[in-house]
Amino acid sequence: MSTPPGCSSGRSRPVTSNSLFDFGQGFTDKGSYSSDTKTDHIELSYTVNGFGLAVSLEDPRDRNAVGYSETYGGNDNMPDVIGAVTYSSGIFKTKIAGAYFKHAVDIVNNRRDPQDGFAVGGIVELALDSITKGDKFQLYAAYAQNGNSFTGITGGSSVAGYTGYGAMTGGKGLDQVPGDSWSTFASYKHVWTDRVWSALTVGYAKFDGTADYTNWADREFDAFRVGGAVNFTPVKGLDLMVDAAYNKIDSDTAAIDGDAWSTTVWLKRSW
């Protein structure tokens, strides 16, 4: 069957790739705090005249959700349900996504009390060729309730990745701890010449725990990250990059307060 002009037909596919809720982490290599998770999922998508619609059912185990057991209780092992809308026109691109899931639990009378969770997030990207061809700017924000990987509190390039799980949660993984979290970042890429570009990313994330369980109660912290990168392409197919990021964590738990630097130097060769 032919597809009408300006449209693409819908498609459904099982994949292991970035979650539909992922927005990227900016233009630097370290990036900033946001969802950064590869999941097994089934995705249905449809695009028409610059608009895109997508729905995905994703494996909650890829986000360390707490499942159900007869002995301890827990969540009902339901898939994460995620929907997204995208739009692209000229210099403007955007994506808005929402999710419903069951990941976190509280502990009541030695039983896992399941917690409903949801998340919503969005990103806007502008192509700033009017400044220099190839310049781009991104602005992102997300909020989650009882789903810490959806805002980058846990996951790939996350707050937890710079602090360790144990000190924050009394020896338990932060993915399962109920609470409210949000994150935001701004990222700018500037092209200096056809061989050199640089980028700057600034981000912030916050977590407020809502658990009644004593070992998890009143967990709260703020996280700040700023990162920069410079990329040099001496010849076609060869990229050299230096990337550095600074992180600062302020918490009610003195064990995870502090600062951290990270630096990466990498080479990429493609043919």
Side-chain angles (χ1 to χ4, degrees), residues 3-264:
T3 302
C7 300
S8 67
S9 58
R11 59 181 180 175
S12 178
R13 53 176 183 159
V15 294
T16 300
S17 64
N18 290 341
S19 167
L20 182 60
F21 198 86
D22 285 9
F23 298 92
Q25 289 79 45
F27 299 113
T28 51
D29 185 58
K30 292 290 187 299
S32 192
Y33 310 120
S34 69
S35 175
D36 182 18
T37 305
K38 291 186 182 297
T39 64
D40 294 324
H41 60 270
I42 298 175
E43 182 178 315
L44 175 65
S45 61
Y46 181 77
T47 58
V48 54
N49 297 329
F51 285 95
L53 303 173
V55 177
S56 179
L57 299 179
E58 306 192 358
D59 190 339
R61 294 173 297 182
D62 294 320
R63 292 183 181 270
N64 296 317
V66 179
Y68 180 83
S69 75
E70 291 290 340
T71 304
Y72 300 108
N75 292 307
D76 297 327
N77 300 320
M78 61 166 277
D80 300 343
V81 181
I82 301 176
V85 178
T86 61
Y87 179 70
S88 178
S89 178
I91 68 170
F92 179 81
K93 293 181 181 179
T94 189
K95 175 182 175 181
I96 299 173
Y100 174 75
F101 46 83
K102 286 179 172 285
H103 289 185
V105 294
D106 209 341
I107 306 296
V108 179
N109 297 324
N110 294 320
R111 295 278 294 178
R112 298 169 179 165
D113 182 26
Q115 306 289 305
D116 290 331
F118 72 91
V120 61
I123 190 169
V124 173
E125 179 177 307
L126 299 176
L128 302 177
D129 290 345
S130 58
I131 299 175
T132 302
K133 185 176 181 180
D135 278 25
K136 295 179 180 180
F137 175 76
Q138 290 182 339
L139 183 63
Y140 148 90
Y143 169 82
Q145 185 176 92
N146 303 328
N148 300 320
S149 67
F150 286 87
T151 54
I153 300 299
T154 63
S157 182
S158 64
V159 178
Y162 277 84
T163 60
Y165 292 101
M168 278 188 277
T169 62
K172 301 294 184 180
L174 188 60
D175 291 282
Q176 70 186 50
V177 179
D180 299 319
S181 64
W182 66 276
S183 61
T184 185
F185 71 73
S187 186
Y188 181 69
K189 175 184 177 181
H190 178 64
V191 178
W192 299 94
T193 72
D194 58 354
R195 294 186 177 185
V196 179
W197 61 263
S198 61
L200 177 68
T201 302
V202 179
Y204 173 80
K206 183 175 180 64
F207 173 75
D208 286 312
T210 58
D212 292 323
Y213 181 48
T214 303
N215 286 356
W216 299 345
D218 301 323
R219 296 297 83 186
E220 179 180 350
F221 58 83
D222 300 88
F224 171 77
R225 178 183 295 172
V226 58
V230 177
N231 188 91
F232 175 51
T233 306
V235 295
K236 184 178 181 181
L238 178 62
D239 288 294
L240 306 172
M241 175 182 279
V242 177
D243 182 278
Y246 169 76
N247 294 260
K248 182 174 177 59
I249 312 294
D250 290 317
S251 171
D252 61 342
T253 302
I256 64 171
D257 282 347
D259 306 61
W261 279 97
S262 59
T263 304
T264 302

